[in-house]
Amino acid sequence: MKQTLAVFVLCSIAIPAFAEEPVIENATARQSGGGRTVSVTLSHPDTGWDHYADGWRVLDMAGKELGLRVLAHPHEHEQPFTRSLNGVQIPDRTTQVQIQARCLVDGWSQDTYVLTLP
């Protein structure tokens, strides 16, 4: 009886579930006025208002933030999805930038997407 109870208790302990990080499927940048418009397609298993991909940012190759796109709501039924950010100021002669996605629960992804600029 004690062994059965111990196994039940161990099996019923809540173990935190680690969700998948947002994945950047594609990104583009085009000249637009005095800056660039960066468009990012990402996917994430959004489950609703409590857990969704809530942003992405453009970083130079040294990690300095050049622009931030906040995603204001979940995209449970629209995966993958694309959103753009206008007016990103990327220094002249820059050939690559990084894109990093963020999840409301898990924070910034470890991986970045390297975008070679046209």
Side-chain angles (χ1 to χ4, degrees), residues 27-85:
T28 61
R30 64 178 172 79
Q31 197 65 40
S32 177
R36 295 196 191 214
T37 296
V38 178
S39 298
V40 173
T41 301
L42 66 86
S43 59
H44 180 263
D46 291 3
T47 59
W49 288 99
D50 292 333
H51 193 173
Y52 66 97
D54 70 335
W56 53 263
R57 62 184 174 181
V58 181
L59 307 168
D60 68 13
M61 295 308 287
K64 178 184 174 192
E65 186 176 292
L66 304 174
L68 172 66
R69 176 62 155 94
V70 175
L71 302 171
H73 59 86
H75 295 86
E76 295 168 87
H77 306 293
E78 181 188 0
Q79 293 288 330
F81 62 96
T82 303
R83 295 296 179 270
S84 298
L85 178 62

Side-chain angles (χ1 to χ4, degrees), residues 2-16:
K2 285 184 181 181
Q3 283 181 327
T4 304
L5 181 59
V7 170
F8 174 77
V9 169
L10 285 175
C11 291
S12 64
I13 294 173
I15 298 172

